[in-house]
Amino acid sequence: MAGDASTVAEALNRRFLQGHPRAAARQLEELEPESAAALLNRMPSVQLTPVVEQLSPSLAASILPHLDDERVKEVVTATDPKAMVAILHQMDAKQAEDYLNLVSPTVKKELTALMQYPEDTGGNLMDPRVEPYAGTLTVEQTLKRLRQPGYRVKPVLFVQNEARRLTGRVSLQTLVAARPEQLLDDIKGPVSVFVEPLAPQEEIVALFDKHRFQSIPVVGLQGELLGVIWQDTLVRAVEEDATADMQAMVGASRDERALSKALFAVRKRQPWLQINLVTAFLAAAVVGLFEDMIARFTALAVLLPVVAGQSGNTGAQALAVTMRGLAIREITTRHWPRVVWKECRAGFMNGIGVCATTCLGVFLWSRSLGLTGVIGISMILSMVIAGVAGALVPIVLVRVGQDPATASSIILTTVTDVMGFFSFLGTATLLSGFL
Amino acid sequence: MAGDASTVAEALNRRFLQGHPRAAARQLEELEPESAAALLNRMPSVQLTPVVEQLSPSLAASILPHLDDERVKEVVTATDPKAMVAILHQMDAKQAEDYLNLVSPTVKKELTALMQYPEDTGGNLMDPRVEPYAGTLTVEQTLKRLRQPGYRVKPVLFVQNEARRLTGRVSLQTLVAARPEQLLDDIKGPVSVFVEPLAPQEEIVALFDKHRFQSIPVVGLQGELLGVIWQDTLVRAVEEDATADMQAMVGASRDERALSKALFAVRKRQPWLQINLVTAFLAAAVVGLFEDMIARFTALAVLLPVVAGQSGNTGAQALAVTMRGLAIREITTRHWPRVVWKECRAGFMNGIGVCATTCLGVFLWSRSLGLTGVIGISMILSMVIAGVAGALVPIVLVRVGQDPATASSIILTTVTDVMGFFSFLGTATLLSGFL
């Protein structure tokens, strides 16, 4: 019975792995590398490689050392070379070399060539196993070739001339709609978008974003096809790029990864921290202007973090929503009056709500009507300013030709701190008779 | 001569618009709606619709009223219905109704049906113009049908049985590789991933993220095919979802758009602002503990924003990098020791750099070695804590089953403020003899 159950479990497993390699990869990633390797060791190799291709490269690299040598050889040989190179890039040179020595010289040569391209460049992201077609082939001849057993059909065919120069593209959709006697040259579309092997990922994402082609060919100096970046890679690149905004906002570099070296992080973040420091001194200078007031009423110092916290958060909300609107092209900078007006009203209404709670809290704590009034007024004021500033910062950055994300959070915090402290300590000074 | 030049310009334009509808749409979005409409009015309608489909819906809706009636009719009829519905959703009900009355009853009915589905649901995102194929068709018969002039070939065919129930999918890649006499039923793959028309965009993105199928069918209660969500829509949804993290982090809802109503923004943001307020009071309470110290040395109050600003920014950098690592699956929560150790070291090294500048600034301002020492020590301390906290917050959120983005920035700010003030005012108290 136990045998039966485990057979069923195994069959289910196999079915799951076959139909859902990506979902299976996600589950394997939850396990310790040793346990994941134990499962992969028992899997037939046809099922193994699709799963490995879907593992995150850093995780695949940590699982590989625990696989049997025979399995490793299969994996390195049969895995999509682009995915394999990403895994090898996660290892130190010595370890990668050891794995490459396990496989045939042909595969080793192919992988070594790909590894020459820096990470996140066209050459590194492309699928090199793409065969260009002569434009003089007829549709019928082409379909026949695609029908050869074991042939890996791709969603787009690339057409070259006799000089092996890339001259066009034919999607399968066009191919099946064409008449059998037509030539590829007759039905091909132009290749107006392509990249060179050293093009950085950012540039590739920008191209994809601009044209949304399903694939981007990588082309050599002679105009020859070196490989193709397929849509799944492009989707991943888009996702990486979209999430990089979060990092740019706070002055961490777009290239930094969670597992980057600490020194890399320091080198990239330090300049922005230094700039942030200057702006923090600016906020401190505002507080310094009111040092006498604070010496008389230390309660003001106690409440400074409340004002800074609320206007900071209000501004950050407006910033996030506006930046995203620009990123997904819901708005352009031309929409600024509408967006600013919305954030102004949202800041005011949110300010009233927050003001109510703050006044209650401050009155219970201080029993001072004067202090309560001061923080109430300044809360509404500073939250309106914060909302408007949050909407304006990314729009202004775009207008002056900058990436709207770049250090936007640092710039915004300066504004919200300075204006928050000014409104709070300024109101307190004006109304000091009531304190 | 002038005529010549404008002919050339027009030809160039036409070529550009034909080959690059998306790039053309981006350029139109930079213009005032009136000018964009003037350009579109002069364009032949075959070129018009691909461009309109690529415009952002809110911008298309603002351009439409400036088009000639005849053009509008063409646009509403010929534009991809999914894209058209997104545009109509941007208008008020009356205006949308007016446009729908311009077109034939069939098109009106189709669009009206689609408009019933709420925005950002399966039914709203799908392409309804998809024809399912009988599984008893041979490959040859199918290819013949695709070759009919004017037929819009899609990258995947969906197969149904006699009861009109969806039973499988056949990609063009599989189709062209199959033998002509094979039946679609013989070569179809299973449809293991599908959604119902009311499935929210978030669920659809999660499915796409899990399986990376090129398209997701939308299926009715009887298992019949209602439409298909194609990859370009999925890519856009992924992008929208990835950038929504920014909003969730600061307590703005994932659904909010830059052009949402102010009241919507208030309703969604207010609860988090109230929570932020409570945590700000917590930070204030820490400052309150040291009120006597501040009364004696008001310089401490002046420097509070510097400490809070630096540890806040350091924490935000660690948070952004870690959250992105989790989002793009570079890391899982199992990597926490490595990530935390990296941020700990980065915080320490960045702390030393920032400490140097701060000490210089504070000494020049205060001429007090004691105060300089206090802020120097607390700067390094609080930046190490901030780095570690920034890495831990999203990891802990995932471990307790939450979205790592949810309010992570609000939680983090609380930690960095409280710990920053503690380390600064605590150090000052310990070393008060030197102040």
Side-chain angles (χ1 to χ4, degrees):
Chain A
M1 285 303 280
D4 267 14
S6 78
T7 316
V8 171
E10 202 159 282
L12 273 175
N13 258 331
R14 215 175 301 140
R15 221 189 139 119
F16 180 66
L17 287 166
Q18 210 150 24
H20 305 270
R22 193 173 158 94
R26 290 293 90 82
Q27 300 218 327
L28 285 174
E29 286 170 358
E30 295 300 314
L31 302 173
E32 292 300 319
E34 292 84 356
S35 324
L39 276 173
L40 290 173
N41 268 329
R42 270 184 280 144
M43 220 182 272
S45 67
V46 259
Q47 288 168 18
L48 189 60
T49 48
V51 176
V52 172
E53 284 165 12
Q54 294 297 341
L55 284 171
S56 102
S58 58
L59 293 161
S62 68
I63 289 173
L64 228 50
H66 302 285
L67 284 184
D68 305 341
D69 268 10
E70 197 48 40
R71 292 343 292 275
V72 172
K73 193 176 154 186
E74 282 167 16
V75 165
V76 180
T77 307
T79 301
D80 165 44
K82 179 186 66 58
M84 196 59 228
V85 165
I87 298 170
L88 292 171
H89 267 304
Q90 300 291 321
M91 308 172 176
D92 53 46
K94 169 82 185 61
Q95 201 185 357
E97 184 64 28
D98 284 349
Y99 284 118
L100 286 172
N101 284 333
L102 288 174
V103 297
S104 76
T106 330
V107 175
K108 181 178 173 182
K109 199 174 147 202
E110 183 183 52
L111 292 173
T112 314
L114 279 183
M115 287 185 73
Q116 308 302 317
Y117 298 117
E119 265 187 281
D120 297 335
T121 57
N124 181 253
L125 297 169
M126 76 186 182
D127 168 10
R129 295 185 183 163
V130 184
E131 192 196 341
Y133 290 72
T136 50
L137 281 174
T138 65
V139 169
E140 194 171 10
Q141 287 170 321
T142 311
L143 284 172
K144 207 164 172 185
R145 197 192 290 189
L146 299 181
R147 224 171 270 141
Q148 280 165 13
Y151 193 89
R152 268 201 168 188
V153 185
K154 313 277 174 151
V156 180
L157 312 181
F158 287 88
V159 180
Q160 65 181 13
N161 62 13
E162 279 151 40
R164 301 174 51 81
R165 218 186 160 81
L166 185 65
T167 57
R169 58 192 295 148
V170 176
S171 73
L172 284 189
Q173 281 156 271
T174 310
L175 188 75
V176 299
R179 287 188 318 275
E181 71 278 10
Q182 284 184 293
L183 300 184
L184 292 187
D185 271 340
D186 299 336
I187 59 170
K188 74 181 179 212
V191 181
S192 45
V193 171
F194 54 88
V195 294
E196 45 148 27
L198 291 178
Q201 172 163 320
E202 240 176 277
E203 187 185 306
I204 297 165
V205 169
L207 272 176
F208 178 60
D209 211 47
K210 201 164 165 193
H211 301 286
R212 279 296 143 87
F213 286 123
Q214 280 170 25
S215 52
I216 298 181
V218 180
V219 168
L221 282 177
Q222 315 299 325
E224 77 280 19
L225 183 70
L226 298 176
V228 176
I229 310 173
W230 297 109
Q231 185 141 10
D232 55 343
T233 308
L234 291 168
V235 170
R236 187 177 165 84
V238 163
E239 213 172 359
E240 287 188 7
D241 201 65
T243 48
D245 275 353
M246 285 194 296
Q247 295 184 183
M249 279 169 76
V250 292
S253 133
R254 283 181 178 272
D255 322 330
E256 195 186 323
R257 299 298 168 105
L259 297 177
S260 292
K261 296 218 160 43
L263 258 176
F264 178 87
V266 172
R267 216 167 54 232
K268 299 285 185 161
R269 298 180 190 176
Q270 180 71 218
W272 286 111
L273 285 170
Q274 295 284 352
I275 289 173
N276 192 49
L277 190 58
V278 174
T279 72
F281 276 129
L282 207 69
V286 173
V287 179
L289 284 180
F290 298 94
E291 215 175 331
D292 293 345
M293 281 294 294
I294 292 172
R296 282 167 60 204
F297 309 101
T298 48
L300 293 176
V302 175
L303 292 175
L304 279 180
V306 178
V307 177
Q310 282 312 100
S311 63
N313 196 185
T314 304
Q317 290 178 334
L319 172 68
V321 174
T322 308
M323 261 201 45
R324 182 177 178 231
L326 290 167
I328 64 176
R329 301 195 181 273
E330 182 204 352
I331 54 168
T332 69
T333 55
R334 280 196 298 102
H335 286 87
W336 75 266
R338 244 175 102 183
V339 176
V340 166
W341 177 230
K342 170 204 162 194
E343 290 302 339
C344 179
R345 285 185 303 149
F348 181 72
M349 289 186 274
N350 270 329
I352 290 176
V354 167
C355 165
T357 321
T358 313
C359 288
L360 184 71
V362 170
F363 182 75
L364 288 178
W365 170 65
S366 68
R367 304 281 161 178
S368 154
L369 270 178
L371 192 62
T372 306
V374 166
I375 198 158
I377 293 170
S378 74
M379 199 57 104
I380 296 179
L381 250 176
S382 63
M383 280 176 67
V384 170
I385 297 171
V388 170
L392 277 179
V393 165
I395 289 175
V396 169
L397 280 170
V398 172
R399 274 289 169 95
V400 299
Q402 292 294 309
D403 171 0
T406 306
S408 52
S409 176
I410 291 173
I411 300 169
L412 178 67
T413 308
T414 313
V415 178
T416 56
D417 273 4
V418 167
M419 298 310 290
F421 294 151
F422 243 122
S423 73
F424 179 51
L425 298 173
T427 312
T429 308
L430 286 176
L431 304 180
S432 57
F434 301 93
L435 286 177
Chain B
M1 285 303 280
D4 267 13
S6 79
T7 316
V8 172
E10 204 159 281
L12 273 175
N13 258 331
R14 214 175 301 139
R15 220 190 141 116
F16 180 66
L17 286 166
Q18 211 151 21
H20 306 271
R22 192 174 160 94
R26 291 293 91 81
Q27 299 218 329
L28 285 173
E29 286 169 359
E30 297 300 315
L31 301 175
E32 292 300 318
E34 293 83 358
S35 326
L39 275 172
L40 289 173
N41 269 329
R42 270 183 281 146
M43 220 183 269
S45 67
V46 258
Q47 287 168 19
L48 190 60
T49 49
V51 176
V52 172
E53 285 165 12
Q54 295 295 341
L55 283 171
S56 104
S58 58
L59 293 161
S62 68
I63 291 173
L64 227 50
H66 303 286
L67 284 185
D68 305 342
D69 269 9
E70 199 47 41
R71 287 353 285 279
V72 172
K73 194 177 152 185
E74 283 167 15
V75 164
V76 180
T77 308
T79 300
D80 166 43
K82 180 187 64 59
M84 196 60 227
V85 165
I87 297 170
L88 292 171
H89 267 303
Q90 300 292 321
M91 307 173 175
D92 55 46
K94 170 80 186 63
Q95 201 185 357
E97 185 62 28
D98 285 348
Y99 284 119
L100 287 173
N101 285 332
L102 289 175
V103 298
S104 76
T106 332
V107 174
K108 181 179 173 182
K109 201 175 144 201
E110 183 183 55
L111 291 174
T112 315
L114 278 183
M115 286 186 73
Q116 307 303 315
Y117 298 117
E119 266 188 281
D120 297 335
T121 58
N124 180 252
L125 297 170
M126 75 187 183
D127 168 10
R129 293 183 183 165
V130 183
E131 191 196 342
Y133 290 73
T136 50
L137 282 174
T138 64
V139 168
E140 195 172 11
Q141 287 170 321
T142 311
L143 284 172
K144 208 164 172 186
R145 198 192 287 191
L146 299 181
R147 226 170 271 142
Q148 280 165 14
Y151 193 90
R152 267 202 170 186
V153 185
K154 312 278 174 152
V156 179
L157 312 181
F158 288 89
V159 181
Q160 65 181 12
N161 61 15
E162 281 151 40
R164 300 176 52 81
R165 217 189 162 79
L166 184 66
T167 57
R169 59 192 294 147
V170 176
S171 72
L172 284 189
Q173 280 156 274
T174 310
L175 189 75
V176 299
R179 288 187 316 273
E181 71 278 10
Q182 284 185 295
L183 300 183
L184 291 188
D185 271 341
D186 300 335
I187 59 170
K188 72 180 181 214
V191 181
S192 45
V193 170
F194 54 88
V195 295
E196 43 149 29
L198 291 177
Q201 172 164 317
E202 237 176 278
E203 188 185 303
I204 297 165
V205 169
L207 272 176
F208 178 59
D209 210 46
K210 202 165 163 189
H211 300 287
R212 282 294 146 89
F213 286 123
Q214 278 171 24
S215 52
I216 298 181
V218 180
V219 169
L221 282 177
Q222 314 301 323
E224 77 279 18
L225 183 70
L226 298 177
V228 176
I229 310 172
W230 296 112
Q231 185 140 7
D232 54 342
T233 308
L234 291 168
V235 171
R236 185 172 167 88
V238 162
E239 214 172 359
E240 287 188 9
D241 201 66
T243 47
D245 275 353
M246 283 193 297
Q247 297 185 181
M249 278 169 78
V250 291
S253 131
R254 283 180 176 274
D255 321 331
E256 195 184 324
R257 299 298 169 104
L259 297 176
S260 292
K261 298 218 158 45
L263 259 177
F264 178 88
V266 172
R267 218 169 52 234
K268 299 284 186 163
R269 298 180 190 175
Q270 179 71 216
W272 286 112
L273 285 170
Q274 294 285 352
I275 290 173
N276 192 48
L277 190 57
V278 174
T279 71
F281 276 129
L282 206 70
V286 173
V287 179
L289 285 179
F290 298 94
E291 217 175 326
D292 293 346
M293 280 295 293
I294 293 173
R296 282 169 59 203
F297 310 101
T298 48
L300 293 176
V302 174
L303 292 176
L304 278 180
V306 178
V307 176
Q310 282 312 100
S311 63
N313 197 184
T314 304
Q317 290 177 334
L319 173 68
V321 173
T322 308
M323 261 201 45
R324 181 175 178 233
L326 289 167
I328 63 175
R329 301 196 181 274
E330 182 203 352
I331 54 167
T332 70
T333 56
R334 280 196 299 100
H335 286 88
W336 74 266
R338 246 176 100 182
V339 175
V340 166
W341 177 231
K342 170 203 164 196
E343 290 303 338
C344 179
R345 283 186 301 150
F348 180 73
M349 288 187 275
N350 271 329
I352 290 176
V354 167
C355 166
T357 322
T358 313
C359 287
L360 184 71
V362 170
F363 183 74
L364 288 179
W365 171 65
S366 68
R367 303 280 161 179
S368 153
L369 268 178
L371 192 62
T372 306
V374 165
I375 199 159
I377 292 171
S378 75
M379 201 57 107
I380 295 179
L381 248 177
S382 63
M383 282 177 65
V384 169
I385 297 171
V388 170
L392 277 179
V393 164
I395 290 175
V396 169
L397 279 170
V398 171
R399 274 288 169 97
V400 300
Q402 293 295 311
D403 170 359
T406 306
S408 52
S409 175
I410 292 175
I411 300 170
L412 178 67
T413 310
T414 313
V415 177
T416 54
D417 274 5
V418 167
M419 299 309 290
F421 295 150
F422 243 121
S423 74
F424 179 50
L425 298 173
T427 313
T429 309
L430 285 176
L431 304 181
S432 56
F434 301 95
L435 286 178

